[in-house]
Amino acid sequence: MDIPAAHRTFLDEVVPRIAADDRVTAIALSGSLAHGTPDDFSDVDLVLAIRDDAHAAVMSDRLELIASWTDVVVGFTGEHVGEPRLIVSLVAPPVLHVDFTFLPETEFATVLHRLRLLHGLGVTPAADSASPELSSGFDPQWAEDRFWVWVHYGATKLARGELFETLDTVAALRKLVLGPLASRRAGAEPRGVRRLESIAPDDAVALQSTVSGYDQREAADALLAAVELYRRWRPSEGVTRRPEAERLVMGFLGDVLGGLQPVRTDAGPTTDPRP
């Protein structure tokens, strides 16, 4: 594999140490190292297959195990992304972000087709683990069922003057919906807004309209821009639209925009709402 020198050195040192534990039956890479698109700033995403009968014991000791394999600066479990079997860590030197995911062997076999195997040549993909469709990581129906609720939430926070929450809502729309739609349009795997500038440069330029400063009118314009891009980019077929939700939410948003009041912040004078 053509990967950066620091990443290669880390793997050359760590993989044999991990493989020495007979409870680990396979080691693989995911992420950019597996897909052949790494650079000097890439994470190292390691996925470990653990014997099913030993998985519980390994899970209880996984932080200590990692510390025995490499020099860990800090590490924590991945509940924040819904994956407690993940350990997110920094190792050094040099400083690298390394993710370790501990999967039972039977589950590992179902995802092996998406990984680059480093150790465990006897492991084969499960019979029912056919390669997923490009859209497997993003469901446009899931987005349509949620988008208007999220826009309404953002509008209520905008009306209340909670600009940080409004900006967070627009950022969530960008990451969870608009970025994946742009990636799909470019024929790439949806991964939020990751690498969007190179995957879909024209759409990335369009998404700039959803980025604003801490200003009520700018935040309003960013929320409106997110709605407009969603309307342009959502699939025309294969999705059951929610027209009543769209109509009601856009009416509500229009009322909010018409009633914007100046917001005074500690950082400066009252902003000009320019309704």
Side-chain angles (χ1 to χ4, degrees):
M1 290 179 289
D2 183 16
I3 64 175
H7 299 65
R8 165 59 71 187
T9 298
F10 170 80
L11 292 172
D12 287 346
E13 293 177 353
V14 170
V15 169
R17 297 171 187 166
I18 300 174
D21 189 326
D22 63 9
R23 297 171 299 179
V24 180
T25 60
I27 306 167
L29 285 170
S30 63
S32 61
L33 292 181
H35 300 146
T37 58
D39 58 30
D40 290 340
F41 309 106
S42 294
D43 301 341
V44 179
D45 300 298
L46 286 172
V47 183
L48 312 182
I50 310 299
R51 285 201 333 261
D52 289 5
D53 64 338
H55 186 260
V58 169
M59 282 286 288
S60 67
D61 296 333
R62 60 198 188 283
L63 282 168
E64 291 80 5
L65 279 173
I66 294 171
S68 72
W69 299 332
T70 188
D71 294 324
V72 179
V73 178
V74 65
F76 55 89
T77 55
E79 287 86 356
H80 64 292
V81 291
E83 181 49 272
R85 299 170 300 183
L86 165 69
I87 296 293
V88 180
S89 73
L90 289 180
V91 305
V95 179
L96 288 176
H97 176 133
V98 183
D99 290 342
F100 297 85
T101 302
F102 297 79
L103 297 182
E105 188 175 40
T106 50
E107 184 173 344
F108 180 91
T110 68
V111 298
L112 180 56
H113 60 281
R114 298 192 311 230
L115 308 174
R116 184 182 292 272
L117 192 66
L118 299 177
H119 165 76
L121 296 180
V123 179
T124 56
D128 59 351
S129 59
S131 296
E133 297 296 325
L134 180 63
S135 61
S136 63
F138 175 75
D139 179 5
Q141 187 64 62
W142 177 93
E144 174 70 13
D145 292 344
R146 290 160 176 77
F147 186 82
W148 302 110
V149 177
W150 289 338
V151 171
H152 178 266
Y153 179 86
T156 64
K157 302 306 173 272
L158 180 68
R160 190 181 287 163
E162 295 183 46
L163 297 189
F164 285 125
E165 191 69 11
T166 305
L167 296 178
D168 277 356
T169 301
V170 177
L173 294 175
R174 191 165 53 242
K175 180 176 182 178
L176 298 176
V177 178
L178 299 175
L181 285 175
S183 295
R184 281 172 53 94
R185 283 159 50 84
E189 180 184 3
R191 298 177 62 204
V193 293
R194 291 288 307 277
R195 299 182 183 268
L196 206 60
E197 292 85 352
S198 58
I199 292 171
D202 291 341
D203 286 352
V205 171
L207 272 174
Q208 292 177 20
S209 63
T210 68
V211 179
S212 81
Y214 188 78
D215 174 89
Q216 193 175 44
R217 176 52 61 181
E218 287 187 19
D221 289 344
L223 184 58
L224 283 171
V227 169
E228 176 58 26
L229 289 176
Y230 179 68
R231 284 170 159 171
R232 283 166 45 191
W233 293 352
R234 62 183 170 181
S236 58
E237 299 179 353
V239 174
T240 301
R241 295 193 178 183
R242 308 299 181 189
E244 184 66 3
E246 181 174 354
R247 182 184 69 82
L248 291 172
V249 169
M250 291 310 295
F252 178 82
L253 178 57
D255 291 342
V256 168
L257 296 178
L260 285 184
Q261 298 297 319
V263 175
R264 181 171 294 279
T265 74
D266 292 338
T270 303
T271 58
D272 176 8
R274 297 190 300 277

